Amino acid sequence: MSDALLPIPDWVARRASTDADHAALETPTGELVSYAELDGRVGRAAAALVALGAEAGRPIALLAGAGLDFAVLAHAIARSGAVLMPLNARLTSDELAYQLGDAGAGLLLADGVHLKQAEQARAAAVGSDVRVVAIERGLPEGGGVIEGAESLDADAVHSLIYTSGTTGSPKGALLTHGNFYWSAVASGENLGVEAADRWLACMPLFHVGGLSILLRSAIYGTTAVIHDGFDEVRVNQAIRDEGITLLSVVAVMLRRMLDADDQVYPPSMRAVLVGGGPVPAELLERARDRGLPVLQTYGLTEATSQVATLSAADALRKPGSAGLPLPATTIRIDSEGRAAEPGEIGEILVAGPTVTPGYLGRPEATAEALRDGWLHTGDLG
């Protein structure tokens, strides 16, 4: 089917026209930002980035805490035509310098908390021409505005996210507008989308899981609620008193939530997505007894986060399972080039529109990971 028949609009601009007054974001300070306001901020920030020298297709690195600045720039960098490159603030200056040089980033945006770290990383990035730009409550505005496009190139790269590098140097996975859009569509079909949804982002936004919450919420026209870190007491309070309906965590975070008090959770909580590995049965039982619907998931950066999800109804019936592939995603368990038999262990292969087109500047690694239409994850299933 022609791409012209499947247009992907600038999702913030679209929601500004259809849901202007709906809350797009709730910041760590409790500030509510409507879609109309977010669109204006994104348009002005995109224009400011272009004035600073943003180049189409070139990465702009972002080193900032979870909050309004990060959220605005996550959309604005893409609207400027550049590529969002979120940086892990937990890395050393040398590790950040490696990524800046490997990506060929032109700008490094840093908030006040991370400005010294950014300067150290720039100094360590020998041979790089990256320029540090301090951000505090956005960027300097010169009066210009870049409007959101009615139709985006689905194959254009939106983000560059570096893998953990457990074997060898970290690799930059390229994720397109289409990758994020179809990931949102698949997750929405799996979980459903309600106008009153408030998805709590308490995981790092530089991680694909946290970033996906920002982008999916904008695609749906719902609200992303941002916390500037994980605090189990604060998360429990948000669920009970602030209308949170969706949450993404890992098992240790879920355990801390359940250990923090002994109160039940409200029925408005629709789903707790838990990734990062199987959830122990006793933890699932505790969550069930307290009213938390836990959906175990499997995903990875190269597939734009979620790949498979186990329904809450099956959580205790199928322990250790990550469930079924999301819509439009196909999973195969491969054993030495053939489909594994039921119960046989093999490598997890993934295919579908959420799979990365490859790694930046790594043709050999790309060819190794993407073979015959399948992403070879290196994970066993």
Side-chain angles (χ1 to χ4, degrees):
M1 185 176 289
S2 169
D3 288 344
L5 300 179
L6 291 171
I8 297 177
D10 179 298
W11 32 78
V12 173
R14 178 172 184 267
R15 290 304 173 184
S17 66
T18 62
D19 303 272
D21 296 329
H22 193 89
L25 301 169
E26 182 173 326
T27 73
T29 60
E31 179 183 0
L32 290 173
V33 179
S34 71
Y35 274 103
E37 183 180 357
L38 178 62
D39 184 53
R41 287 177 179 269
V42 169
R44 292 190 295 273
L49 289 170
V50 171
L52 285 167
E55 301 175 36
R58 189 176 186 185
I60 292 179
L62 177 58
L63 186 62
L68 181 58
D69 287 342
F70 192 110
V72 168
L73 289 167
H75 296 297
I77 290 171
R79 187 177 290 188
S80 76
V83 172
L84 168 66
M85 180 182 168
L87 293 177
N88 182 350
R90 299 168 184 168
L91 298 180
T92 66
S93 296
D94 286 343
E95 289 170 327
L96 292 174
Y98 168 79
Q99 294 184 9
L100 292 169
D102 185 68
L107 297 172
L108 168 52
L109 312 179
D111 62 14
V113 173
H114 299 93
L115 187 57
K116 181 178 179 181
Q117 185 181 16
E119 293 285 6
Q120 291 172 338
R122 183 200 59 77
V126 179
S128 168
D129 64 350
V130 67
R131 181 158 52 100
V132 174
V133 176
I135 56 170
E136 196 62 44
R137 199 65 173 177
L139 290 163
E141 297 176 1
V145 177
I146 295 179
E147 304 291 344
E150 293 184 5
S151 181
L152 301 172
D153 179 359
D155 295 328
V157 176
H158 180 286
S159 296
L160 173 67
I161 300 180
Y162 275 77
T163 61
S164 58
T166 51
T167 57
S169 299
K171 301 185 293 293
L174 301 164
L175 297 176
T176 67
H177 288 86
N179 288 153
F180 280 109
Y181 183 81
W182 288 111
S183 179
V185 169
S187 180
E189 185 173 335
N190 184 53
L191 297 176
V193 177
E194 298 182 3
D197 273 338
R198 289 165 55 81
W199 201 324
L200 176 56
C202 56
M203 296 198 301
L205 299 183
F206 58 73
H207 184 274
V208 70
L211 178 61
S212 290
I213 295 172
L214 291 183
L215 303 188
R216 286 177 185 172
S217 296
I219 291 168
Y220 300 150
T222 55
T223 305
V225 179
I226 304 171
H227 283 188
D228 53 7
F230 176 73
D231 179 283
E232 57 270 29
V233 173
R234 189 179 178 198
V235 169
N236 283 345
Q237 179 184 0
I239 293 172
R240 297 191 179 105
D241 302 335
E242 300 169 20
I244 298 300
T245 59
L246 298 166
L247 174 68
S248 298
V249 291
V250 295
V252 67
M253 297 163 72
L254 176 62
R255 184 179 296 279
R256 286 171 56 181
M257 290 167 55
L258 294 171
D259 287 347
D261 60 53
D262 58 2
Q263 300 178 47
V264 297
Y265 293 87
S268 54
M269 190 67 196
R270 298 205 299 113
V272 181
L273 296 172
V274 183
V279 182
E282 57 88 13
L283 198 56
L284 292 170
E285 291 170 353
R286 291 177 62 194
R288 176 201 60 195
D289 294 344
R290 299 270 294 279
L292 279 183
V294 172
L295 283 67
Q296 297 180 85
T297 73
Y298 165 72
L300 67 164
T301 299
E302 290 88 341
T304 325
S305 190
Q306 251 178 303
V307 169
T309 300
L310 183 69
S311 70
D314 283 334
L316 289 165
R317 191 171 71 87
K318 295 188 175 183
S321 172
L324 298 172
L326 294 192
T329 298
T330 304
I331 290 178
R332 170 183 166 183
I333 306 300
D334 182 83
S335 177
E336 298 180 351
R338 61 172 176 80
E341 299 295 330
E344 183 181 5
I345 295 175
E347 184 183 11
I348 301 172
L349 310 187
V350 180
T354 68
V355 171
T356 176
Y359 299 107
L360 178 69
R362 302 290 183 89
E364 293 182 0
T366 297
E368 177 65 21
L370 299 171
R371 286 176 267 154
D372 300 322
W374 292 97
L375 169 66
H376 289 246
T377 68
D379 297 328
L380 296 179

